[in-house]
Amino acid sequence: MKLLPLVFIVGETASGKSKLAIDLALKFNGEIINADSWAVYRGFDIGTAKPSVEERRLVPHHLFDVADPLAGYSAAIFKRMAGECIEDIYTRKKLPIIVGGTGLYIDSIIYNYIFLPGSNLKERSYLETLKLDDLKTMVNKYGFDSTGIDLNNKRRVIRLIENKGKRPQSSPMRKNILILGLKVDAANLENNIKKRVKRMLNDGLEREVKRLVNKYGWDIEPMKGIGYRQFKDYFNGHITYDQLRELIISDTIKLVKKQKTWFKRNKSIHWLHNSSQSVELITTFLNKSYI
RNA sequence: GGCGUCGUGGCGGAGUGGUUACGCAGAGGUCUGCAAAACCUUUUACACCGGUUCAAUUCCGGUCGGCGCCU
C-alpha cells in the first residue's frame, strides 16, 4: 500500500514558515498541521506567533490551542494527534502540510517513532528527587542496558528506569514525503527576530503574559518558553523594558541555533531560497504521487 | 603633585612560582512522553617594560591606565 503524500515545512523561528504554508495550502488545496511545541498551548498566542484569525479562516489550521497549559504536552501526544489529523485531511482529499520548528515532533512522524508508555506521575516525582549517581546505581542494580544512553543526562536516565530498560522504536524514513526547509542568512535572521520581538511587544505580549501569570503562575511548563519567562525579572523590577526586549531577542537567537543544529542532520530536507522554488518542488512531488 | 589600591580571555569572576578554576556568551554536537527541554565537547588570558629565578600570570622595580584618599 502506498502512503499518501505528505508535505513538511521546517526551519528556524522567524524564517517565514507560517506564511509560506498558507500560500502553499491555498495553491495546492492543503490544510496546515502545527508542529511547534509551544503553539499548542491555549492562551499562549502572541509570544508563539500563532497565525491570526484571518489566516486561519483562509486555510484550516490544526493542532493549535489543543493543549491545556496546566496539563502539559509531549512529542508522543503530538505524534498521535498529528496522525489523526493527517488521516482526517486525507478523507477530505486534501494535502496535509506539517509546519513547525520543533525537530523532535517532525521526526516523530518522518521516522514513525513508537513512543514507550508515558511516565507515572508518582514514580516520576520520586525519581526526580534522586541524585544522578543514585539513579545510575539503580540502573545497574536492575541490570538495565544503558548502551547509547547519555548517563550524564538525568532525564534520559530517568526515562530508562521508567521504561525498565526498554527502548523506543523508529522506522526508516516515511515514503512519499516532501520536506521543505526555510533558511535565512544570519544577518537577515537577526533583523527578522528583532522586528518580530518588537512586533510582539507592540501587539500586547506584556498583557498576555500578565494574564497567564495571574492564571497559572510561573511554574508551569509553557511559562518557561521564550517571550514568557523573561518577563519575571521585568515584573520584579530586576531588568528594564529595554533589557527585557534584548533578552527575548538573544534567547530567540539561541533557539534558532539549536533548531539549525537539529535540521542540519536531515539530509532529505530541500532547503529553499525563495518561495517560487517551493511551488515547483511540490508540483513535481505531487505529480509523482497521487491522492 | 604625594600616598594607597587595582589592572586576568567578549563579559562576569577565582587563583597559583612550574597540570587551561569557573559561570555566561561564542563554536560544534547528542537527541523517541518536559525538546523553546536536558546533556556533551570546545576556542580566547593573566596591561606594558625590565629584573630575580632552572621556571613568573603569580616575587621585585619602573611605565601606563582605573579607582580612592591627601595636598
Side-chain angles (χ1 to χ4, degrees):
Chain A
M1 174 195 124
K2 192 169 178 189
L3 284 167
L4 291 169
L6 186 55
V7 170
F8 294 82
I9 301 175
V10 304
E12 57 225 35
T13 290
S15 60
K17 296 186 295 290
S18 307
K19 190 178 174 304
L20 176 65
I22 291 171
D23 290 347
L24 295 177
L26 288 172
K27 208 159 272 169
F28 294 95
N29 191 30
E31 296 192 15
I32 292 168
I33 300 174
N34 163 247
D36 177 292
S37 61
W38 241 255
V40 296
Y41 290 111
R42 281 191 282 277
F44 289 70
D45 302 332
I46 298 173
T48 62
K50 278 181 196 164
S52 67
V53 176
E54 297 81 60
E55 287 170 323
R56 296 199 211 188
R57 207 163 344 195
L58 277 173
V59 175
H61 282 68
H62 304 274
L63 301 194
F64 288 92
D65 306 315
V66 290
D68 176 352
L70 287 173
Y73 200 72
S74 75
I77 300 173
F78 166 79
K79 200 235 162 183
R80 180 174 49 73
M81 291 179 114
E84 290 165 5
C85 280
I86 292 168
E87 292 311 312
D88 185 43
I89 292 169
Y90 285 151
T91 62
R92 269 179 261 125
K93 304 270 187 268
K94 293 176 87 179
L95 176 69
I97 303 175
I98 299 180
V99 184
T102 303
L104 176 65
Y105 287 15
I106 301 282
D107 281 0
S108 74
I109 296 174
I110 295 181
Y111 300 105
N112 193 28
Y113 283 175
I114 311 284
F115 290 89
L116 291 165
S119 50
N120 172 308
L121 275 179
K122 259 185 254 164
E123 186 187 20
R124 168 65 64 92
S125 49
Y126 166 67
L127 290 174
E128 274 174 347
T129 63
L130 298 178
K131 290 210 175 65
L132 183 60
D133 282 339
D134 300 328
L135 291 165
K136 285 198 255 187
T137 308
M138 213 167 182
V139 167
N140 289 329
K141 193 179 131 197
Y142 291 118
F144 298 149
D145 177 16
S146 61
T147 313
I149 298 287
D150 179 359
L151 291 174
N152 285 314
N153 193 333
K154 195 170 166 180
R155 287 191 177 189
R156 299 273 156 73
V157 179
I158 288 180
R159 268 316 270 164
L160 182 68
I161 294 169
E162 287 177 343
N163 295 331
K164 303 193 167 44
K166 268 187 278 182
R167 301 304 175 78
Q169 316 250 305
S170 65
S171 309
M173 183 173 283
R174 179 180 169 123
K175 300 288 182 230
N176 206 12
I177 62 174
L178 175 69
I179 313 172
L180 302 176
L182 242 50
K183 209 181 241 176
V184 181
D185 60 274
N188 282 331
L189 185 76
E190 193 167 332
N191 224 355
N192 290 355
I193 290 174
K194 281 182 182 163
K195 273 192 238 159
R196 173 189 163 105
V197 170
K198 281 179 192 162
R199 197 181 337 114
M200 286 176 176
L201 290 167
N202 285 336
D203 288 350
L205 183 58
E206 182 172 348
R207 230 175 306 127
E208 173 170 304
V209 177
K210 221 168 239 168
R211 194 186 69 232
L212 291 166
V213 168
N214 286 338
K215 197 163 172 190
Y216 303 113
W218 290 107
D219 293 333
I220 61 167
E221 196 59 28
M223 216 56 193
K224 294 172 188 161
I226 294 166
Y228 295 95
R229 61 165 184 253
Q230 292 86 355
F231 273 89
K232 191 171 183 178
D233 279 341
Y234 172 65
F235 289 153
N236 288 341
H238 293 321
I239 59 172
T240 65
Y241 196 74
D242 283 348
Q243 288 173 315
L244 166 75
R245 188 185 58 242
E246 294 309 310
L247 200 57
I248 295 176
I249 290 170
S250 63
D251 282 348
T252 305
I253 291 171
K254 270 185 257 177
L255 164 65
V256 164
K257 283 173 189 159
K258 285 194 255 181
Q259 290 174 314
K260 276 184 176 166
T261 300
W262 186 286
F263 291 122
K264 220 184 284 181
R265 66 179 180 165
N266 187 334
K267 303 303 175 202
S268 305
I269 298 175
H270 294 78
W271 291 103
L272 307 171
H273 295 98
N274 60 66
S275 52
S276 59
Q277 235 181 323
S278 62
V279 174
E280 291 168 31
L281 281 165
I282 297 192
T283 306
T284 313
F285 168 67
L286 291 178
N287 284 340
K288 285 192 293 188
S289 318
Y290 55 87
I291 292 191

